[in-house]
């Protein structure tokens, strides 16, 4: 890969080698499958979310609403309480992030990561010329000044069909992320029709979750590419520090807090979304506001950053999500502790206070029956599921899982 000396991104790119992800990298589709399972659980069992009520109260206060019914129905918010997959990850949502929106300029994040992916694959170089400009210059302009012309040139070169096919391979549905039209030139950005660039708040949050990963993500970007994407989107970097593009979620937060994000707006929506890094914690937030209120978004952003201090403290570790590497599917059990999970998988992981836990186990089992696991199929939508048959099927699956796991690991 050739980097032009003296270019705006030269310092950031000089040490970035176009490496392919090693075989041990976690596939993007598996990461997103785990995030999808978190989102599904939090939607189907909202009372299990430790911060849900406080989150709604925060929105009410930020948007000066007396109660939840007074919050405008054109407000859509999605929050992932961390940037890592572990037992404490929760999904907070208002107005169901499955609502599709015109994505405005926040869709440029898709083009950004698609360009980085092509460079890592060796199919594009920073020195490559597209419509008279280098790729480096176009990427910089697309983020720095949110240039529609730069976005159009890069997107046209990559092709809508190719980008969308890649998004489907990663695990995004067409409703979550879809790129399908160009943006009008500067000065006319708000005069176009509602185009086919669309996304949901949850879908965009999932994209930022991939970008937030520190290790290689197979099929997406290497760790170097991910770090560069975060740097380009950082409000602390020259490429995205324009006050006009930091006038929403992060405008009223402390300068030491880094927000790696992209804004957007048109006649239909004002949006902002990205990764907040507060030093001791990181989280993801995406807001689509069809009321076009930047002022309320600022109030909410500042309040959310303060509220996020509760994320690692308030979310109980007993709300365990486990992604089964053998069955390649989610299994939920809100009654499992980390110790029980280790025993269940025959990992032989030593647990602290093992003697105390063993002495309490019999009394705990007598006092409280084990909760039944959630059905793994869509049969829970049926009015009268056959609990006995499902229980036997689950037991058989778990036994097969244990047997397969032992055969592979020698445990």
């Amino acid at each position: 890969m050739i980097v032009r000396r003296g270019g705006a991104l030269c310092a950031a790119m000089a040490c970035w080698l176009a490496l392919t992800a090693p075989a041990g990298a976690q596939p993007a589709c598996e990461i997103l499958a785990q995030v999808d399972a978190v989102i599904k659980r939090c939607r189907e069992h909202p009372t299990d979310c430790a911060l849900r009520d406080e989150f709604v109260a925060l929105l009410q206060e930020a948007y000066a609403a007396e109660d939840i019914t007074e919050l405008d129905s054109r407000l859509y918010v999605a929050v992932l309480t961390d940037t890592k997959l572990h037992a404490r990850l929760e999904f907070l949502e208002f107005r169901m992030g499955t609502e599709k929106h015109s994505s405005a300029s926040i869709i440029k994040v898709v083009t950004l990561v698609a360009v980085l992916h092509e460079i890592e694959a060796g199919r594009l170089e920073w020195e490559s010329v597209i419509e008279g400009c280098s790729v480096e210059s176009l990427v910089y302009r697309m983020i720095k000044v949110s240039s529609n012309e730069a976005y159009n040139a890069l997107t046209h070169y990559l092709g809508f069909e190719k980008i969308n096919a890649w998004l489907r391979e990663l695990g995004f549905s067409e409703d979550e992320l879809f790129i399908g039209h160009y943006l009008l030139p500067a000065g006319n950005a708000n005069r176009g029709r509602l185009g086919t660039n669309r996304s949901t708040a949850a879908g965009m949050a999932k994209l930022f979750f991939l970008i937030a990963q520190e290790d290689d993500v197979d099929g997406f970007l290497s760790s170097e590419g991910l770090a560069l994407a975060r740097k380009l989107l950082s409000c602390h970097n020259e490429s995205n520090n324009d006050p006009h593009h930091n006038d929403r979620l992060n405008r009223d937060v402390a300068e030491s807090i880094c927000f790696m994000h992209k804004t957007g707006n048109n006649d239909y929506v004002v949006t902002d979304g990205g990764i907040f890094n507060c030093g001791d914690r990181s989280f993801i937030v995406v807001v689509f506001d069809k009321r076009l209120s930047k002022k309320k978004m600022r109030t909410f952003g500042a309040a959310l950053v303060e509220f996020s201090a509760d994320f690692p403290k308030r979310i109980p570790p007993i709300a365990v999500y486990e992604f089964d590497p053998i069955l390649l599917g989610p299994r939920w059990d809100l009654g499992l502790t980390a110790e029980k999970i280790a025993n269940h998988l025959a990992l032989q992981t030593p647990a602290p206070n093992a003697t105390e836990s063993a002495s309490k186990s019999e009394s705990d089992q007598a006092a409280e029956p084990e909760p039944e696991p959630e059905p793994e199929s869509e049969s829970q939508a049926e009015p009268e599921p056959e609990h006995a048959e499902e229980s036997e099927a689950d037991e058989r699956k778990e036994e097969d899982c244990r047997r397969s796991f032992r055969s592979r690991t020698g445990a």
Side-chain angles (χ1 to χ4, degrees), residues 315-379:
I315 301 175
I318 198 171
V320 172
Y321 167 74
E322 177 202 347
F323 187 77
D324 193 314
I326 299 170
L327 300 179
L328 296 180
R331 179 169 67 248
W332 291 99
D333 191 335
L334 301 181
L336 289 180
T337 64
E339 177 187 0
K340 289 180 181 178
I341 287 178
N343 293 335
H344 174 70
L345 291 179
L347 297 179
Q348 306 301 323
T349 303
N353 301 325
T355 304
E356 180 182 350
S357 299
S359 63
K360 290 183 178 181
S361 61
E362 292 186 3
S363 59
D364 291 342
Q365 291 177 2
E368 296 183 7
E370 287 290 333
E372 295 184 3
E374 292 293 329
E376 295 185 14
S377 65
E378 298 180 357
S379 61

Side-chain angles (χ1 to χ4, degrees), residues 99-154:
E99 173 74 15
K100 292 179 288 187
H101 311 277
S102 168
S103 32
S105 284
I106 200 171
I107 200 69
K108 291 169 184 173
V109 178
V110 174
T111 297
L112 169 64
V113 294
V115 168
L116 297 180
H117 177 72
E118 289 299 294
I119 291 175
E120 290 198 327
R123 295 186 289 265
L124 192 62
E125 295 184 352
W126 291 109
E127 283 288 323
S128 300
V129 176
I130 300 175
E131 297 187 13
C133 297
S134 70
V135 170
E136 176 187 338
S137 175
L138 290 171
V139 168
Y140 183 78
R141 287 165 50 198
M142 183 175 68
I143 303 301
K144 173 67 176 178
V145 297
S146 197
S147 167
N148 288 345
E149 292 89 340
Y151 158 84
N152 291 343
L154 290 169

Side-chain angles (χ1 to χ4, degrees), residues 5-6 9 34 62 91 102 104 146 148 191 197 202 228 267 272 352:
R5 296 187 180 277
L9 302 180
Q34 296 178 67
F91 177 68
S102 168
S146 197
N148 288 345
R191 298 178 186 174
N197 284 350
L228 180 56
D267 280 343
D272 194 5

Side-chain angles (χ1 to χ4, degrees), residues 102-328:
S102 168
S103 32
S105 284
I106 200 171
I107 200 69
K108 291 169 184 173
V109 178
V110 174
T111 297
L112 169 64
V113 294
V115 168
L116 297 180
H117 177 72
E118 289 299 294
I119 291 175
E120 290 198 327
R123 295 186 289 265
L124 192 62
E125 295 184 352
W126 291 109
E127 283 288 323
S128 300
V129 176
I130 300 175
E131 297 187 13
C133 297
S134 70
V135 170
E136 176 187 338
S137 175
L138 290 171
V139 168
Y140 183 78
R141 287 165 50 198
M142 183 175 68
I143 303 301
K144 173 67 176 178
V145 297
S146 197
S147 167
N148 288 345
E149 292 89 340
Y151 158 84
N152 291 343
L154 290 169
T155 305
H156 177 73
Y157 179 85
L158 296 177
F160 293 130
E161 291 185 2
K162 184 176 181 179
I163 296 175
N164 286 318
W166 181 56
L167 292 173
R168 302 296 87 77
E169 290 176 1
L170 293 174
F172 293 98
S173 70
E174 287 193 2
D175 289 338
E176 289 177 324
L177 277 181
F178 185 85
I179 187 166
H181 80 287
Y182 304 111
L183 299 177
L184 293 175
N188 296 304
N190 292 332
R191 298 178 186 174
R193 63 179 177 83
L194 179 61
T196 53
N197 284 350
R198 60 179 181 267
S199 61
T200 65
M204 192 59 66
K206 287 166 57 179
L207 179 63
F208 280 113
F209 192 90
L210 286 182
I211 295 172
Q213 301 309 298
E214 296 181 355
D215 298 326
D216 299 330
V217 178
D218 195 11
F220 188 61
L221 291 173
S222 70
S223 58
E224 292 86 355
L226 293 168
L228 180 56
R230 293 193 296 270
K231 186 168 186 176
L232 290 170
L233 295 170
S234 170
C235 66
H236 289 169
N237 194 52
E238 195 269 340
S239 61
N240 198 28
N241 64 357
D242 190 319
H244 292 95
H245 300 143
N246 290 277
D247 60 349
R248 299 166 207 185
L249 287 173
N250 66 319
R251 207 219 42 182
D252 294 338
V253 305
E255 291 184 3
S256 60
I257 294 175
C258 180
F259 192 34
M260 295 155 276
H261 71 121
K262 186 71 185 75
T263 59
N265 56 270
N266 55 28
D267 280 343
Y268 309 96
V269 68
V270 167
T271 185
D272 194 5
I275 308 159
F276 266 111
N277 186 342
C278 305
D280 61 337
R281 63 193 184 278
S282 296
F283 66 94
I284 294 166
V285 56
V286 175
V287 178
F288 283 89
D289 190 345
K290 293 184 177 181
R291 303 173 316 116
L292 311 180
S293 175
K294 296 181 182 179
K295 184 177 180 180
K296 297 293 186 183
M297 200 179 290
R298 297 167 189 163
T299 303
F300 172 66
L304 181 63
V305 167
E306 183 177 355
F307 177 55
S308 69
D310 279 349
F311 289 174
K313 296 184 296 183
R314 292 281 306 283
I315 301 175
I318 198 171
V320 172
Y321 167 74
E322 177 202 347
F323 187 77
D324 193 314
I326 299 170
L327 300 179
L328 296 180

